[in-house]
């Protein structure tokens, strides 16, 4: 039954991804909201699978979860792209940077953290009172790079003339933090070593968006097939050598993330993608990221270890999405209530 349920989950992911996909030869876009939402909807379920408790893991879940870091990398990438695009196209965006971004990141993270700590306490995990005041470590890393972005694009230009240095500096800091985290005992971004590199990818994608848009349309079929084969080869090597220091644990991991992301964007360069289900999942992807660990604990509290692996995972994914919708709506209501008076 485990693999029957996992097969159902894989089928649902495939249908929600492929449904409504059509060839669109005149499409001329790159990193649009629709494309980003489409890919977020795909990746967020994969991210959930990597954190399944050990007692409920299975081969299919483990194989799919091995690529979950690319989904997190993609989230960093789209976040950075969105920040840079908004800064360049929305007058005054940086003047209200924190007021616009912080509530939407921090409020859901605080609520999700309280939920997770409470659920893990119920199943016997030792938690201190301080844990309730903490937030997800991944969110901390995201906020760190938001701060660096704000510093480079808002504060430092008051003292340093020109703009040519900004993108290079942002990318160098992201890469430097990644290398420091991997090769030293100093953990600036905790366990997220490769994933935050997506922030640099997003900055570069925004800077060279026009060139990339033009490039991915040329020889579309050949490039799509080529990138697919390259991704497959690197993927096999990564699965085989991912435990090997530097070669597998860092270099292949980075290359695979770049290759698969490039393949996906090349593939959808001439495809109309997205549907109601996929867009819905993409719209709650952030909430899914920060809630699913708490849901896993809740499921264990309610059912113990009586469910088979596949049923546990499918039920957890469904419950996570339900709670994600409720969390998003509740936070949006609170944020709108307090932001409206400030806008007047």
């Amino acid at each position: 039954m485990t693999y029957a349920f996992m097969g159902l989950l894989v089928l649902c992911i495939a249908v929600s991804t492929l449904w409504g996909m059509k060839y669109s030869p005149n499409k001329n876009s790159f990193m649009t909201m629709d494309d980003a939402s489409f890919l977020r909807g795909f990746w967020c379920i994969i991210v959930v699978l990597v954190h399944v408790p050990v007692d409920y893991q299975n081969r299919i879940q483990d194989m799919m979860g091995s690529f979950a870091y690319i989904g997190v990398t993609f989230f960093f990438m789209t976040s950075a792209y969105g920040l840079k695009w908004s800064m360049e196209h929305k007058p005054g965006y940086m003047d209200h940077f924190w007021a616009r971004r912080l509530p939407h990141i921090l409020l859901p993270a605080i609520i999700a953290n309280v939920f997770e700590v409470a659920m893990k306490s119920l199943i016997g995990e030792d938690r201190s009172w301080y844990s309730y005041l903490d937030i997800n470590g991944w969110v901390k890393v995201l906020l760190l790079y938001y701060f660096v972005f704000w510093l480079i694009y808002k504060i430092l230009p008051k003292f340093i003339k020109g703009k040519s240095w900004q993108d290079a500096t942002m990318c160098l800091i992201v890469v430097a933090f990644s290398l420091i985290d991997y090769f030293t005992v100093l953990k600036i971004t905790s366990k997220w070593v490769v994933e935050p590199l997506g922030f640099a990818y997003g900055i570069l994608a925004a800077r060279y968006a026009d060139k990339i848009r033009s490039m991915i349309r040329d020889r579309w079929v050949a490039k799509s097939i080529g990138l697919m084969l390259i991704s497959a080869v690197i993927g096999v090597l990564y699965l085989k050598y991912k435990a090997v220091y530097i070669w597998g644990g860092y270099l292949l991991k980075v290359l695979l993330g770049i290759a698969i992301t490039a393949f996906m964007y090349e593939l959808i360069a001439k495809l109309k993608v997205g549907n109601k289900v996929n867009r819905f999942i993409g719209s709650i992807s952030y909430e899914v990221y920060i809630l699913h660990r708490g849901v896993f604990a809740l499921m264990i509290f309610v059912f113990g270890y009586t469910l088979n692996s596949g049923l546990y995972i499918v039920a957890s994914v469904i419950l996570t999405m339900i709670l994600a919708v409720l969390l998003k709506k509740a936070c949006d209501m609170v944020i709108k209530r307090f932001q409206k008076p400030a806008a007047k």
Side-chain angles (χ1 to χ4, degrees):
M1 288 300 293
T2 287
Y3 292 106
F5 280 110
M6 289 306 299
L8 178 62
L9 179 61
V10 172
L11 178 63
C12 289
I13 293 173
V15 171
S16 67
T17 302
L18 301 175
W19 176 37
M21 187 178 288
K22 298 179 181 178
Y23 178 59
S24 180
N26 296 321
K27 181 179 178 181
N28 186 28
S29 61
F30 171 68
M31 290 288 284
T32 62
M33 287 292 292
D34 287 342
D35 288 350
S37 179
F38 164 76
L39 291 173
R40 283 191 181 193
F42 169 79
W43 280 119
C44 79
I45 305 301
I46 308 300
V47 171
V48 172
L49 297 180
V50 77
H51 295 132
V52 171
V54 175
D55 291 322
Y56 274 117
Q57 292 182 2
N58 59 68
R59 287 187 178 181
I60 296 177
Q61 164 272 325
D62 181 63
M63 182 182 69
M64 296 174 69
S66 295
F67 300 92
Y69 79 93
I70 303 174
V72 182
T73 303
F74 179 76
F75 194 95
F76 276 108
M77 178 180 172
T78 53
S79 296
Y81 185 94
L83 292 182
K84 184 165 169 57
W85 187 93
S86 296
M87 179 192 71
E88 294 177 343
H89 294 84
K90 297 180 179 179
Y93 178 78
M94 295 301 292
D95 294 335
H96 306 284
F97 180 77
W98 291 113
R100 292 178 189 222
R101 301 307 311 153
L102 198 57
H104 292 280
I105 295 174
L106 208 50
L107 182 58
I110 292 172
I111 297 173
N113 178 71
V114 171
F115 170 70
E116 179 181 342
V117 173
M119 293 303 101
K120 289 186 174 180
S121 296
L122 288 176
I123 61 174
E125 290 193 20
D126 186 26
R127 296 284 164 169
S128 65
W129 66 268
Y130 170 74
S131 299
Y132 286 94
L133 305 177
D134 201 2
I135 59 173
N136 186 286
W138 169 78
V139 179
K140 292 179 184 178
V141 177
L142 183 65
L143 289 174
L144 168 65
Y145 284 113
Y146 269 48
F147 174 76
V148 175
F149 181 89
W150 172 76
L151 192 65
I152 290 174
Y153 293 92
K154 175 62 178 177
I155 302 302
L156 292 183
K158 297 178 182 179
F159 308 98
I160 305 175
K161 294 182 179 180
K163 293 184 177 181
S164 59
W165 60 273
Q166 291 174 307
D167 292 345
T169 302
M170 184 74 242
C171 292
L172 284 173
I173 289 175
V174 173
V175 173
F177 283 1
S178 176
L179 293 174
I180 290 171
D181 286 343
Y182 190 78
F183 290 105
T184 75
V185 296
L186 181 61
K187 302 302 178 185
I188 302 172
T189 59
S190 185
K191 61 182 178 181
W192 289 273
V193 176
V194 170
E195 294 88 340
L197 289 172
F199 208 93
Y201 306 158
I203 296 296
L204 294 174
R207 181 182 179 92
Y208 300 107
D210 291 338
K211 292 182 180 179
I212 295 173
R213 186 181 299 111
S214 175
M215 182 176 62
I216 61 178
R217 286 182 52 80
D218 183 38
R219 300 177 62 191
W220 175 66
V221 174
K223 287 181 179 177
S224 295
I225 295 174
L227 285 170
M228 179 181 67
L229 294 175
I230 291 171
S231 298
V233 171
I234 299 176
V236 171
L237 291 173
Y238 169 65
L239 288 174
K240 184 176 181 180
Y241 298 108
K242 64 180 180 179
V244 178
Y245 184 66
I246 301 179
W247 166 244
Y250 191 84
L251 292 177
L252 280 175
K253 199 171 183 180
V254 171
L255 290 174
L256 180 60
I258 293 173
I260 289 182
T261 301
F263 164 65
M264 286 185 160
Y265 268 109
E266 179 65 46
L267 184 65
I268 65 176
K270 290 188 179 183
L271 292 176
K272 179 183 178 298
V273 296
N275 52 68
K276 291 182 179 180
V277 174
N278 179 265
R279 284 192 290 270
F280 162 72
I281 299 174
S283 70
I284 59 171
S285 57
Y286 176 66
E287 288 75 18
V288 169
Y289 287 153
I290 59 179
L291 276 172
H292 67 273
R293 290 175 184 267
V295 172
F296 283 143
L298 172 59
M299 290 289 293
I300 291 175
F301 174 71
V302 175
F303 298 102
Y305 295 93
T306 61
L307 302 177
N308 71 63
S309 173
L311 177 57
Y312 170 84
I313 291 171
V314 171
S316 295
V317 169
I318 294 172
L319 181 56
T320 298
M321 289 195 287
I322 293 172
L323 293 180
V325 172
L326 297 176
L327 178 61
K328 183 176 181 63
K329 289 187 175 181
C331 290
D332 284 348
M333 287 175 59
V334 172
I335 292 169
K336 287 179 181 179
R337 184 179 181 85
F338 284 94
Q339 282 188 337
K340 280 185 177 180
K344 292 181 179 179

